[in-house]
Amino acid sequence: MNGVISMNNLPGIYPDLVVLLGAFAVLALELLWPQKGSKTRVLYVSMAVLGLGLLGLGARSWGMPQEVFPGFLRVDGLSGMAKFILLGIGILTLAAGKSGSRNLGLDHAEYYALLLFALFGMMQLCGSVNFLGTFVDLETFSLAMYVLAGFNKRLAGNREAALKYFLPGAFAAAFFLFGLALVFGATGSVRYQDFVTAWQSPALREAQRALMLAGLGLMLAAFAFKVGLVPFHFWVPDVYEGASTPVSAFLSAGAKVAGMVALLRLVGLVADPLDFFQAGPSSYALGRVLLLLSVLTMMVGNLAALRQKSVKRMLAYSSVAHSGYALVGLVAVLGGHSPDGASALMAYVLVYVLMNFAAFGLVAALEAGWPQALLGRPPMLEDFNGLGFAKPVFGAALALAMFSMAGLPPTAGFTAKFFLFKSAVEAGQVGLVVVAVLNSVLSAAYYLRLVVHLYMRPAAREAGLPLFEGWGAWMTVFCALLLLFWGLLPQSLINLSQAATMGIWH
Amino acid sequence: MGLTQALFFTFAALALASALSVVFTRHTVWAAYLFVAHLLCLAVLYACLSAPLVAVLQVMVYGGAVMVLFIFAIMILDASVLGRLDWRQEALQAGLSLALGLGLAGLLFYVLDRHAPALALANPVSASADLGRGNVAALGRMLYTQYLLPFEVISVLLVVAAVGILVMAKRKLED
Amino acid sequence: MPIEFTLGLAAAIFSVGAAGVTFRRDPLVLFMCVEMMFNAANLALVGLSGYFGLLDGQTMVFLVLAVAAAEVAVGLAILIAIFRVRQDVDVDHVSELRG
């Protein structure tokens, strides 16, 4: 019978299940190993869980789209690649928090469990082809994230960050739910498939179409909150600065990947194989809105980032700007002209995650090396003075990440942006690409300012502030090497994302 | 006009009125009472809309559990702090919010007013079309077959909420 | 019951809630307004469920109720955690990092 769940479906979501069971196992370990200092073991267990998930994912080919839970969950290249990135994000987050977890107050089993629960929610979201399922997955990972944002009560502003994340998040969830109700009203179903059937049916009345678009618009607004697009970005800097650094990295990377994949699937519902921008006045409006959001997000993010002195705030605004670039890919998808829009978007998201973790990893390493007196002070640009010469390896890695964020060759940031903009040009959005390129130039100003601090400013003390050369710092190097690799050999990145987005539309 | 319809329209008016007064009242405690009233009005509406089970759940979950949480929070959080006059933000901000609220309402009304008759089924043959409305057994069967996956994910969500509340509420996690 | 009326009422309650969220500063009232928005969506779903003769809408409301209750509980826990640190819960005061 259609829609009935049987045990045969479960192997299809093996990585999700591993992460979920891992989360429960971590909670149980808290009871088994209650003594102090045992939390490093819990961290290794969490890492092993994520590694197992990656192994399971690698064993399955991405090529065969399949609805493991008919009408609810789809396993295809898109969800495969998203899960791959998400599991990687999990491992990187754990690594970023490893060295300073005591300083950062994250050394608790609950932290690891919530991280795994959040990852489970995101992984489910990436495969969801049902509005209700999307809502539930969104709420699952959001609830875990709210708490993670406020996990370290010893940091001033940490709990406030949780509240500031919670309020817009709950507001956005309500928008999503009302959009779901409107779509249910227009189509009598909450499956993506039924939405597409109704949308493409010749019997579709303009009125019904308007209702569907209104519902979809509300849902897009909800995800705009989650990934921090411009009119809905106001919470981003406060939350990223207030939360512990590994958590900020996790929030910015994880929520963005999951949100972008969900947005891709939602926009894909109405992406017209013919020409979206000529399909009708209401569709046209949606395309224009996305375009406007993209331009606004890039401009506001970059302009605000220019003024920041705190590194985490700068990275927060930069992540807002990067959502704007990613939206360029979505506009290309909506144009329906080029299948490259989706693959360019996924490649960009992957590269963004690496750049982001490279930057946040070193910030976390810096904080981990701080004396107690400095704890809770947000790292400033000046704190990186002279680091490039004091710690040549780590300094160079951070500089490379900054070049990549600015989109300069020969880094993966350049490759990804190039393919993103190319897909938009092919979709006929030349004006948008011009704005995006100008924004990239603008953004170079503040990314390179950090590089200037690294190399051209004398350190305040003899060897700069102590940098903790632990996992966090080495993670920066690892991410930077990957960025360089994909910058020099872009073909593997392109192949990966093209294979992933092959045949993702229904 | 039948009794059900009379009830529906009366409580619809009451629901809207109580919603408005939650927004416009100055005191948190009053807002909470009005909010309970609003939730109970909705329960009556659900009953009128042939959804008796949802109506009962509304009373139990919202009228009961959620409201107890709110009242509890008000007790802990010192009503005198919360009850302060709240109209001190700048005129610009107030105007902006009002414009946003009205704009949204206008948009929704516009879409619904013009297009509500156009509501239609995309696939009229649904597995549950023949089931009686508000039937508890049918609802349960649906929940455990067609909607099993979200149901299970929600069970995860509840665990997340429990762990999260524990983290937030513990005075101090052991070091 | 005319479906237009039910949906219109839901839209109205939703808008009142949204306006409340932007208007009010008191976090507890903000939570109530967000819940109001959730309830508006539920009302629309129940109304549509009856209109279509489909049980799906009611089933979804059932699930949404659980999500909303969990969300309120977490939100209030966060609020109380903040209150313990600082004896003042007003969004305006919470913001020491604006800009």
Side-chain angles (χ1 to χ4, degrees), chain A residues 150-206:
Chain A
F151 199 89
N152 182 5
K153 63 169 59 171
R154 271 181 290 171
L155 272 180
N158 200 264
R159 292 277 153 96
E160 280 86 349
L163 184 65
K164 285 190 172 173
Y165 191 30
F166 178 85
L167 283 174
F171 190 53
F175 268 76
F176 190 93
L177 195 64
F178 204 79
L180 179 147
L182 290 186
V183 167
F184 181 67
T187 64
S189 164
V190 286
R191 298 179 176 201
Y192 286 8
Q193 186 57 57
D194 293 335
F195 187 100
V196 174
T197 313
W199 184 259
Q200 290 171 349
S201 138
L204 180 74
R205 280 157 291 180
E206 186 57 34

Short mmCIF file of all heavy atoms in Angstrom, two decimals, chain A residues 150-206:
data_model
loop_
_atom_site.label_atom_id
_atom_site.label_comp_id
_atom_site.label_asym_id
_atom_site.label_seq_id
_atom_site.Cartn_x
_atom_site.Cartn_y
_atom_site.Cartn_z
N GLY A 150 23.15 28.51 22.95
CA GLY A 150 23.24 29.03 24.31
C GLY A 150 23.86 28.03 25.26
O GLY A 150 23.56 28.03 26.44
N PHE A 151 24.71 27.16 24.74
CA PHE A 151 25.17 26.04 25.56
C PHE A 151 26.10 26.47 26.68
O PHE A 151 26.07 25.94 27.78
CB PHE A 151 25.86 25.00 24.68
CG PHE A 151 25.95 23.66 25.33
CD1 PHE A 151 24.93 22.75 25.18
CD2 PHE A 151 27.03 23.33 26.11
CE1 PHE A 151 24.98 21.53 25.81
CE2 PHE A 151 27.09 22.10 26.75
CZ PHE A 151 26.06 21.20 26.59
N ASN A 152 26.98 27.43 26.39
CA ASN A 152 28.01 27.78 27.36
C ASN A 152 27.58 28.96 28.20
O ASN A 152 27.73 30.11 27.80
CB ASN A 152 29.30 28.11 26.62
CG ASN A 152 30.42 28.43 27.57
OD1 ASN A 152 30.25 28.33 28.78
ND2 ASN A 152 31.53 28.84 27.04
N LYS A 153 27.03 28.68 29.37
CA LYS A 153 26.51 29.79 30.16
C LYS A 153 27.62 30.65 30.75
O LYS A 153 27.37 31.73 31.23
CB LYS A 153 25.60 29.25 31.26
CG LYS A 153 26.32 28.38 32.27
CD LYS A 153 25.44 28.12 33.48
CE LYS A 153 24.15 27.45 33.10
NZ LYS A 153 23.40 27.00 34.28
N ARG A 154 28.87 30.16 30.71
CA ARG A 154 29.94 30.97 31.27
C ARG A 154 30.30 32.15 30.37
O ARG A 154 30.89 33.12 30.80
CB ARG A 154 31.16 30.10 31.52
CG ARG A 154 31.13 29.48 32.92
CD ARG A 154 32.34 28.63 33.16
NE ARG A 154 32.31 27.42 32.34
CZ ARG A 154 33.33 26.59 32.22
NH1 ARG A 154 34.46 26.86 32.83
NH2 ARG A 154 33.23 25.51 31.49
N LEU A 155 29.97 32.03 29.10
CA LEU A 155 30.24 33.14 28.19
C LEU A 155 29.14 34.17 28.32
O LEU A 155 27.96 33.82 28.25
CB LEU A 155 30.25 32.64 26.74
CG LEU A 155 31.54 32.11 26.16
CD1 LEU A 155 31.29 31.68 24.73
CD2 LEU A 155 32.60 33.17 26.21
N ALA A 156 29.53 35.42 28.48
CA ALA A 156 28.51 36.47 28.51
C ALA A 156 27.88 36.54 27.12
O ALA A 156 28.55 36.41 26.12
CB ALA A 156 29.16 37.79 28.87
N GLY A 157 26.59 36.72 27.08
CA GLY A 157 25.94 36.89 25.78
C GLY A 157 25.57 35.58 25.13
O GLY A 157 24.93 35.57 24.08
N ASN A 158 25.96 34.46 25.75
CA ASN A 158 25.70 33.16 25.14
C ASN A 158 24.22 32.80 25.19
O ASN A 158 23.61 32.45 24.20
CB ASN A 158 26.54 32.13 25.89
CG ASN A 158 26.76 30.88 25.08
OD1 ASN A 158 26.02 29.93 25.26
ND2 ASN A 158 27.72 30.88 24.20
N ARG A 159 23.64 32.93 26.38
CA ARG A 159 22.22 32.62 26.54
C ARG A 159 21.36 33.60 25.75
O ARG A 159 20.33 33.25 25.21
CB ARG A 159 21.85 32.64 28.03
CG ARG A 159 22.49 31.50 28.81
CD ARG A 159 21.64 30.27 28.64
NE ARG A 159 22.36 29.03 28.76
CZ ARG A 159 22.45 28.30 29.86
NH1 ARG A 159 21.93 28.74 30.98
NH2 ARG A 159 23.08 27.16 29.86
N GLU A 160 21.81 34.84 25.70
CA GLU A 160 21.08 35.84 24.92
C GLU A 160 21.09 35.45 23.45
O GLU A 160 20.12 35.64 22.73
CB GLU A 160 21.70 37.22 25.09
CG GLU A 160 21.31 37.93 26.37
CD GLU A 160 22.21 37.54 27.53
OE1 GLU A 160 22.98 36.57 27.37
OE2 GLU A 160 22.14 38.19 28.57
N ALA A 161 22.23 34.88 23.02
CA ALA A 161 22.31 34.43 21.63
C ALA A 161 21.24 33.38 21.36
O ALA A 161 20.60 33.38 20.31
CB ALA A 161 23.70 33.86 21.34
N ALA A 162 21.03 32.49 22.34
CA ALA A 162 20.01 31.45 22.16
C ALA A 162 18.64 32.08 21.97
O ALA A 162 17.88 31.70 21.09
CB ALA A 162 20.00 30.52 23.37
N LEU A 163 18.33 33.10 22.79
CA LEU A 163 17.02 33.74 22.68
C LEU A 163 16.88 34.46 21.35
O LEU A 163 15.84 34.41 20.70
CB LEU A 163 16.81 34.72 23.83
CG LEU A 163 15.42 35.37 23.86
CD1 LEU A 163 14.35 34.34 24.12
CD2 LEU A 163 15.34 36.48 24.88
N LYS A 164 17.97 35.12 20.96
CA LYS A 164 17.90 35.88 19.70
C LYS A 164 17.81 34.97 18.50
O LYS A 164 17.37 35.39 17.43
CB LYS A 164 19.14 36.75 19.57
CG LYS A 164 19.07 37.93 20.47
CD LYS A 164 20.17 38.88 20.16
CE LYS A 164 19.94 40.14 20.95
NZ LYS A 164 21.07 41.04 20.79
N TYR A 165 18.28 33.75 18.65
CA TYR A 165 18.15 32.78 17.59
C TYR A 165 16.76 32.16 17.62
O TYR A 165 16.15 31.90 16.60
CB TYR A 165 19.22 31.71 17.76
CG TYR A 165 19.38 30.78 16.58
CD1 TYR A 165 19.12 31.20 15.30
CD2 TYR A 165 19.82 29.48 16.76
CE1 TYR A 165 19.27 30.34 14.22
CE2 TYR A 165 19.98 28.63 15.69
CZ TYR A 165 19.70 29.06 14.43
OH TYR A 165 19.84 28.22 13.36
N PHE A 166 16.28 31.95 18.85
CA PHE A 166 14.99 31.27 19.01
C PHE A 166 13.83 32.08 18.45
O PHE A 166 13.00 31.56 17.71
CB PHE A 166 14.74 30.96 20.49
CG PHE A 166 13.42 30.31 20.75
CD1 PHE A 166 13.28 28.95 20.63
CD2 PHE A 166 12.31 31.06 21.08
CE1 PHE A 166 12.06 28.34 20.83
CE2 PHE A 166 11.08 30.47 21.28
CZ PHE A 166 10.96 29.10 21.16
N LEU A 167 13.78 33.38 18.82
CA LEU A 167 12.59 34.16 18.46
C LEU A 167 12.37 34.26 16.95
O LEU A 167 11.29 33.92 16.47
CB LEU A 167 12.66 35.55 19.11
CG LEU A 167 12.32 35.55 20.60
CD1 LEU A 167 12.56 36.91 21.20
CD2 LEU A 167 10.90 35.11 20.83
N PRO A 168 13.39 34.68 16.17
CA PRO A 168 13.16 34.69 14.72
C PRO A 168 12.93 33.30 14.16
O PRO A 168 12.16 33.13 13.21
CB PRO A 168 14.43 35.29 14.13
CG PRO A 168 15.30 35.66 15.26
CD PRO A 168 14.72 35.17 16.53
N GLY A 169 13.56 32.30 14.77
CA GLY A 169 13.40 30.93 14.29
C GLY A 169 11.97 30.46 14.43
O GLY A 169 11.39 29.88 13.50
N ALA A 170 11.38 30.71 15.59
CA ALA A 170 10.00 30.28 15.82
C ALA A 170 9.05 31.05 14.92
O ALA A 170 8.09 30.50 14.37
CB ALA A 170 9.64 30.49 17.29
N PHE A 171 9.33 32.34 14.75
CA PHE A 171 8.55 33.18 13.85
C PHE A 171 8.57 32.60 12.44
O PHE A 171 7.54 32.46 11.78
CB PHE A 171 9.17 34.58 13.89
CG PHE A 171 8.38 35.66 13.24
CD1 PHE A 171 7.05 35.87 13.59
CD2 PHE A 171 8.96 36.49 12.29
CE1 PHE A 171 6.33 36.90 12.99
CE2 PHE A 171 8.24 37.52 11.70
CZ PHE A 171 6.93 37.71 12.05
N ALA A 172 9.77 32.22 12.01
CA ALA A 172 9.93 31.66 10.67
C ALA A 172 9.16 30.35 10.55
O ALA A 172 8.52 30.08 9.52
CB ALA A 172 11.40 31.44 10.36
N ALA A 173 9.21 29.53 11.59
CA ALA A 173 8.50 28.24 11.55
C ALA A 173 7.01 28.47 11.36
O ALA A 173 6.34 27.75 10.62
CB ALA A 173 8.77 27.47 12.84
N ALA A 174 6.48 29.52 12.02
CA ALA A 174 5.06 29.82 11.87
C ALA A 174 4.75 30.21 10.43
O ALA A 174 3.72 29.81 9.88
CB ALA A 174 4.66 30.94 12.82
N PHE A 175 5.65 30.96 9.81
CA PHE A 175 5.46 31.31 8.40
C PHE A 175 5.40 30.06 7.54
O PHE A 175 4.56 29.92 6.66
CB PHE A 175 6.62 32.20 7.92
CG PHE A 175 6.36 33.65 8.07
CD1 PHE A 175 6.43 34.25 9.31
CD2 PHE A 175 6.02 34.42 6.98
CE1 PHE A 175 6.17 35.58 9.47
CE2 PHE A 175 5.75 35.77 7.12
CZ PHE A 175 5.83 36.35 8.37
N PHE A 176 6.35 29.15 7.81
CA PHE A 176 6.38 27.93 7.03
C PHE A 176 5.06 27.18 7.16
O PHE A 176 4.49 26.70 6.18
CB PHE A 176 7.55 27.04 7.47
CG PHE A 176 7.78 25.90 6.53
CD1 PHE A 176 8.68 26.01 5.50
CD2 PHE A 176 7.07 24.72 6.66
CE1 PHE A 176 8.87 24.97 4.61
CE2 PHE A 176 7.25 23.68 5.79
CZ PHE A 176 8.16 23.80 4.76
N LEU A 177 4.58 27.10 8.39
CA LEU A 177 3.38 26.32 8.65
C LEU A 177 2.17 26.92 7.93
O LEU A 177 1.34 26.20 7.35
CB LEU A 177 3.12 26.24 10.15
CG LEU A 177 2.12 25.19 10.55
CD1 LEU A 177 2.63 23.82 10.22
CD2 LEU A 177 1.83 25.28 12.04
N PHE A 178 2.09 28.25 7.94
CA PHE A 178 0.95 28.86 7.26
C PHE A 178 1.06 28.67 5.75
O PHE A 178 0.05 28.44 5.08
CB PHE A 178 0.83 30.35 7.61
CG PHE A 178 -0.57 30.87 7.44
CD1 PHE A 178 -1.53 30.64 8.40
CD2 PHE A 178 -0.93 31.55 6.29
CE1 PHE A 178 -2.82 31.08 8.23
CE2 PHE A 178 -2.23 32.00 6.11
CZ PHE A 178 -3.18 31.77 7.08
N GLY A 179 2.28 28.74 5.26
CA GLY A 179 2.48 28.47 3.84
C GLY A 179 2.04 27.05 3.51
O GLY A 179 1.40 26.81 2.47
N LEU A 180 2.37 26.12 4.39
CA LEU A 180 1.96 24.73 4.21
C LEU A 180 0.44 24.63 4.13
O LEU A 180 -0.11 23.94 3.27
CB LEU A 180 2.50 23.90 5.38
CG LEU A 180 2.19 22.40 5.45
CD1 LEU A 180 3.37 21.69 6.08
CD2 LEU A 180 0.95 22.09 6.25
N ALA A 181 -0.24 25.37 5.03
CA ALA A 181 -1.70 25.33 5.02
C ALA A 181 -2.25 25.85 3.70
O ALA A 181 -3.20 25.29 3.14
CB ALA A 181 -2.24 26.14 6.20
N LEU A 182 -1.64 26.93 3.18
CA LEU A 182 -2.13 27.49 1.91
C LEU A 182 -1.93 26.49 0.77
O LEU A 182 -2.82 26.31 -0.07
CB LEU A 182 -1.39 28.79 1.60
CG LEU A 182 -1.71 29.99 2.47
CD1 LEU A 182 -1.03 31.24 1.95
CD2 LEU A 182 -3.21 30.22 2.56
N VAL A 183 -0.76 25.84 0.76
CA VAL A 183 -0.50 24.87 -0.31
C VAL A 183 -1.46 23.69 -0.18
O VAL A 183 -2.00 23.20 -1.18
CB VAL A 183 0.97 24.39 -0.25
CG1 VAL A 183 1.16 23.17 -1.13
CG2 VAL A 183 1.89 25.50 -0.70
N PHE A 184 -1.72 23.27 1.05
CA PHE A 184 -2.68 22.19 1.26
C PHE A 184 -4.06 22.62 0.74
O PHE A 184 -4.78 21.83 0.14
CB PHE A 184 -2.75 21.84 2.75
CG PHE A 184 -3.70 20.72 3.08
CD1 PHE A 184 -3.43 19.43 2.64
CD2 PHE A 184 -4.83 20.95 3.83
CE1 PHE A 184 -4.30 18.40 2.94
CE2 PHE A 184 -5.71 19.92 4.13
CZ PHE A 184 -5.44 18.65 3.68
N GLY A 185 -4.38 23.90 0.95
CA GLY A 185 -5.66 24.40 0.46
C GLY A 185 -5.74 24.40 -1.06
O GLY A 185 -6.78 24.15 -1.63
N ALA A 186 -4.61 24.67 -1.69
CA ALA A 186 -4.63 24.77 -3.15
C ALA A 186 -4.58 23.40 -3.82
O ALA A 186 -5.12 23.22 -4.91
CB ALA A 186 -3.48 25.63 -3.62
N THR A 187 -3.91 22.46 -3.18
CA THR A 187 -3.69 21.18 -3.86
C THR A 187 -4.30 19.99 -3.13
O THR A 187 -4.36 18.90 -3.69
CB THR A 187 -2.19 20.90 -4.04
OG1 THR A 187 -1.61 20.76 -2.75
CG2 THR A 187 -1.50 22.02 -4.78
N GLY A 188 -4.68 20.15 -1.88
CA GLY A 188 -5.23 19.03 -1.14
C GLY A 188 -4.19 18.01 -0.74
O GLY A 188 -4.52 16.88 -0.39
N SER A 189 -2.94 18.38 -0.83
CA SER A 189 -1.88 17.45 -0.49
C SER A 189 -0.67 18.25 -0.01
O SER A 189 -0.55 19.44 -0.29
CB SER A 189 -1.52 16.61 -1.70
OG SER A 189 -0.28 15.97 -1.51
N VAL A 190 0.22 17.58 0.71
CA VAL A 190 1.43 18.26 1.14
C VAL A 190 2.67 17.59 0.55
O VAL A 190 3.76 17.78 1.03
CB VAL A 190 1.56 18.32 2.68
CG1 VAL A 190 0.59 19.33 3.24
CG2 VAL A 190 1.35 16.96 3.29
N ARG A 191 2.45 16.77 -0.48
CA ARG A 191 3.61 16.16 -1.11
C ARG A 191 4.15 17.08 -2.20
O ARG A 191 3.38 17.70 -2.93
CB ARG A 191 3.22 14.85 -1.76
CG ARG A 191 2.71 13.85 -0.76
CD ARG A 191 2.31 12.59 -1.48
NE ARG A 191 1.90 11.61 -0.50
CZ ARG A 191 1.89 10.32 -0.73
NH1 ARG A 191 2.26 9.84 -1.90
NH2 ARG A 191 1.51 9.48 0.21
N TYR A 192 5.46 17.11 -2.33
CA TYR A 192 6.06 17.91 -3.39
C TYR A 192 5.55 17.44 -4.75
O TYR A 192 5.29 18.22 -5.65
CB TYR A 192 7.58 17.80 -3.36
CG TYR A 192 8.26 18.55 -2.24
CD1 TYR A 192 7.52 19.14 -1.22
CD2 TYR A 192 9.64 18.68 -2.20
CE1 TYR A 192 8.14 19.81 -0.19
CE2 TYR A 192 10.28 19.37 -1.18
CZ TYR A 192 9.53 19.93 -0.17
OH TYR A 192 10.15 20.60 0.84
N GLN A 193 5.44 16.10 -4.86
CA GLN A 193 5.05 15.53 -6.14
C GLN A 193 3.68 16.04 -6.59
O GLN A 193 3.48 16.40 -7.74
CB GLN A 193 5.05 14.00 -6.03
CG GLN A 193 4.80 13.29 -7.32
CD GLN A 193 5.82 13.68 -8.39
OE1 GLN A 193 7.02 13.53 -8.19
NE2 GLN A 193 5.34 14.22 -9.51
N ASP A 194 2.74 16.10 -5.63
CA ASP A 194 1.40 16.57 -5.97
C ASP A 194 1.42 18.05 -6.31
O ASP A 194 0.64 18.51 -7.14
CB ASP A 194 0.44 16.31 -4.81
CG ASP A 194 0.23 14.82 -4.61
OD1 ASP A 194 0.41 14.07 -5.58
OD2 ASP A 194 -0.10 14.42 -3.48
N PHE A 195 2.31 18.78 -5.65
CA PHE A 195 2.45 20.20 -5.97
C PHE A 195 2.86 20.36 -7.43
O PHE A 195 2.26 21.14 -8.18
CB PHE A 195 3.51 20.82 -5.05
CG PHE A 195 3.63 22.32 -5.17
CD1 PHE A 195 3.04 23.15 -4.24
CD2 PHE A 195 4.35 22.89 -6.22
CE1 PHE A 195 3.15 24.52 -4.34
CE2 PHE A 195 4.47 24.26 -6.32
CZ PHE A 195 3.87 25.08 -5.39
N VAL A 196 3.87 19.57 -7.83
CA VAL A 196 4.37 19.69 -9.21
C VAL A 196 3.28 19.27 -10.20
O VAL A 196 3.06 19.94 -11.21
CB VAL A 196 5.63 18.82 -9.39
CG1 VAL A 196 6.06 18.82 -10.84
CG2 VAL A 196 6.75 19.33 -8.52
N THR A 197 2.57 18.17 -9.87
CA THR A 197 1.50 17.70 -10.75
C THR A 197 0.47 18.80 -10.94
O THR A 197 0.04 19.09 -12.07
CB THR A 197 0.83 16.45 -10.15
OG1 THR A 197 1.85 15.56 -9.73
CG2 THR A 197 -0.06 15.77 -11.17
N ALA A 198 0.06 19.40 -9.82
CA ALA A 198 -0.96 20.44 -9.92
C ALA A 198 -0.41 21.65 -10.68
O ALA A 198 -1.11 22.25 -11.50
CB ALA A 198 -1.39 20.87 -8.52
N TRP A 199 0.84 21.98 -10.42
CA TRP A 199 1.45 23.17 -11.02
C TRP A 199 1.52 23.04 -12.54
O TRP A 199 1.31 24.00 -13.27
CB TRP A 199 2.84 23.36 -10.43
CG TRP A 199 3.56 24.59 -10.89
CD1 TRP A 199 4.53 24.68 -11.82
CD2 TRP A 199 3.36 25.92 -10.41
NE1 TRP A 199 4.95 25.96 -11.96
CE2 TRP A 199 4.25 26.75 -11.11
CE3 TRP A 199 2.50 26.49 -9.45
CZ2 TRP A 199 4.32 28.12 -10.89
CZ3 TRP A 199 2.58 27.85 -9.23
CH2 TRP A 199 3.48 28.65 -9.94
N GLN A 200 1.83 21.83 -12.98
CA GLN A 200 2.01 21.64 -14.42
C GLN A 200 0.73 21.23 -15.12
O GLN A 200 0.71 21.11 -16.34
CB GLN A 200 3.11 20.60 -14.66
CG GLN A 200 4.48 21.13 -14.29
CD GLN A 200 5.54 20.06 -14.33
OE1 GLN A 200 5.23 18.88 -14.44
NE2 GLN A 200 6.79 20.48 -14.25
N SER A 201 -0.33 20.98 -14.33
CA SER A 201 -1.57 20.53 -14.96
C SER A 201 -2.18 21.66 -15.79
O SER A 201 -2.20 22.82 -15.36
CB SER A 201 -2.54 20.09 -13.86
OG SER A 201 -3.83 20.54 -14.15
N PRO A 202 -2.68 21.34 -16.97
CA PRO A 202 -3.30 22.38 -17.81
C PRO A 202 -4.57 22.93 -17.18
O PRO A 202 -5.00 24.03 -17.52
CB PRO A 202 -3.59 21.65 -19.13
CG PRO A 202 -3.53 20.20 -18.80
CD PRO A 202 -2.64 20.03 -17.63
N ALA A 203 -5.16 22.17 -16.26
CA ALA A 203 -6.40 22.62 -15.64
C ALA A 203 -6.15 23.61 -14.51
O ALA A 203 -7.10 24.08 -13.88
CB ALA A 203 -7.17 21.41 -15.11
N LEU A 204 -4.88 23.92 -14.26
CA LEU A 204 -4.57 24.81 -13.15
C LEU A 204 -5.14 26.20 -13.41
O LEU A 204 -4.88 26.82 -14.44
CB LEU A 204 -3.04 24.91 -13.00
CG LEU A 204 -2.56 25.80 -11.87
CD1 LEU A 204 -2.78 25.13 -10.54
CD2 LEU A 204 -1.10 26.14 -12.06
N ARG A 205 -5.93 26.67 -12.46
CA ARG A 205 -6.49 28.01 -12.62
C ARG A 205 -5.51 29.03 -12.06
O ARG A 205 -4.73 28.74 -11.16
CB ARG A 205 -7.82 28.10 -11.88
CG ARG A 205 -8.98 27.50 -12.68
CD ARG A 205 -10.09 27.10 -11.78
NE ARG A 205 -9.72 25.96 -10.95
CZ ARG A 205 -10.52 25.39 -10.07
NH1 ARG A 205 -11.71 25.88 -9.87
NH2 ARG A 205 -10.12 24.34 -9.37
N GLU A 206 -5.57 30.21 -12.60
CA GLU A 206 -4.65 31.27 -12.16
C GLU A 206 -4.80 31.53 -10.66
O GLU A 206 -3.85 31.81 -9.95
CB GLU A 206 -4.93 32.55 -12.96
CG GLU A 206 -3.95 33.68 -12.70
CD GLU A 206 -2.49 33.32 -12.96
OE1 GLU A 206 -2.21 32.52 -13.88
OE2 GLU A 206 -1.62 33.82 -12.22
#
